[in-house]
Amino acid sequence: MPRKYVPWNPHFYYHVVSRGNHRDLLFATDYDFLAYEHILEQAHEKYPFSIASYCLMHNHTHLLIQSSETPLSIVMGVINKRFARYYNNRFHLTGHVFENRYFREPVIGYRSMQKVSQYIHLNPVKAGLVAKEPRYRWSSYRYFADITNEKRPSYMDVGAVLSTFPGNGGEQRKQYVQAIYEEAVKVKGKELITN
């Protein structure tokens, strides 16, 4: 069945998911995750875009991304082609790295921005990679919760999600972290409250 056509709107953020071919691993080591983040930086230099949230799982990626100047298809083409080249060179392979074309869905409205960002950041909790809140190395949650000393990448715009909450920056962060915690409790159960 052909994929539904989703037109690009430069004013919208899109939830974009790219999966490994046959759901194979995309990221076997930390080096692979770092390579993908480096590719995001390179692509951003050529075609500026904004990522509000992201999570790199072992066999797929989630991006909440807006490209206001260049069609999203070109941006994602650059990102996925560069990673596929890296992956095939690293593992001495040829052929498809990603399964079909990436999935994308426009995210419209404040509530949707909050929900999609939470969904992205809760992926490691749902997969059992982390026990409590999503303090997962390969997601943008660390920039929301302010739990890292590393410099925020040039493509990251946490304000796109945090600004959907009332109050100042600190209050918005607290509300976001609390919303994540409440959703994590629903996913993992009451043991999160006592651990």
Side-chain angles (χ1 to χ4, degrees):
M1 187 162 126
R3 227 173 241 265
K4 177 178 84 170
Y5 173 69
V6 179
W8 167 64
N9 184 317
H11 305 293
F12 291 168
Y13 273 86
Y14 290 82
H15 180 198
V16 174
V17 181
S18 299
R19 291 192 181 280
N21 201 23
H22 306 295
R23 301 195 178 221
D24 290 340
L25 283 182
L26 293 171
F27 308 104
T29 67
D30 286 358
Y31 188 79
D32 301 326
F33 288 106
L34 289 168
Y36 188 90
E37 290 182 335
H38 180 67
I39 287 166
L40 288 178
E41 287 276 14
Q42 287 181 322
H44 179 261
E45 287 175 16
K46 186 168 185 179
Y47 301 111
F49 56 82
S50 173
I51 293 180
S53 300
Y54 75 89
C55 186
L56 310 180
M57 300 295 285
H58 287 94
N59 69 353
H60 66 282
T61 65
H62 289 271
L63 306 176
L64 182 52
I65 184 171
Q66 178 191 45
S67 178
S68 56
E69 297 174 21
T70 306
L72 188 58
S73 58
I74 292 174
V75 172
M76 288 308 302
V78 167
I79 293 168
N80 285 355
K81 283 175 190 166
R82 285 188 184 179
F83 186 78
R85 194 177 315 123
Y86 157 83
Y87 182 94
N88 281 335
N89 286 339
R90 174 158 150 67
F91 295 105
H92 310 289
L93 298 170
T94 60
H96 295 290
V97 172
F98 291 99
E99 176 184 86
N100 300 319
R101 192 174 176 193
Y102 58 87
F103 162 87
R104 72 176 180 186
E105 192 69 39
V107 180
I108 303 165
Y110 289 167
R111 193 77 181 124
S112 294
M113 283 291 285
Q114 293 172 7
K115 285 296 180 190
V116 171
S117 180
Q118 290 168 18
Y119 173 83
I120 289 171
H121 287 147
L122 285 168
N123 259 250
V125 176
K126 291 175 183 171
L129 298 174
V130 290
K132 299 184 182 181
E133 63 178 312
R135 290 178 182 242
Y136 177 66
R137 169 66 182 90
W138 309 112
S139 88
S140 56
Y141 179 75
R142 62 194 187 273
Y143 304 119
F144 284 80
D146 212 13
I147 53 176
T148 183
N149 291 325
E150 65 185 279
K151 184 181 174 191
R152 191 182 311 155
S154 57
Y155 53 78
M156 274 305 305
D157 180 14
V158 296
V161 173
L162 293 180
S163 66
T164 65
F165 291 91
N168 64 32
E171 292 164 344
Q172 292 167 335
R173 282 181 193 280
K174 284 181 187 172
Q175 290 173 74
Y176 185 82
V177 169
Q178 181 61 34
I180 283 279
Y181 177 78
E182 289 170 5
E183 287 299 313
V185 167
K186 290 177 191 173
V187 170
K188 298 300 274 186
K190 300 281 186 193
E191 74 273 6
L192 288 173
I193 296 171
T194 55
N195 288 349

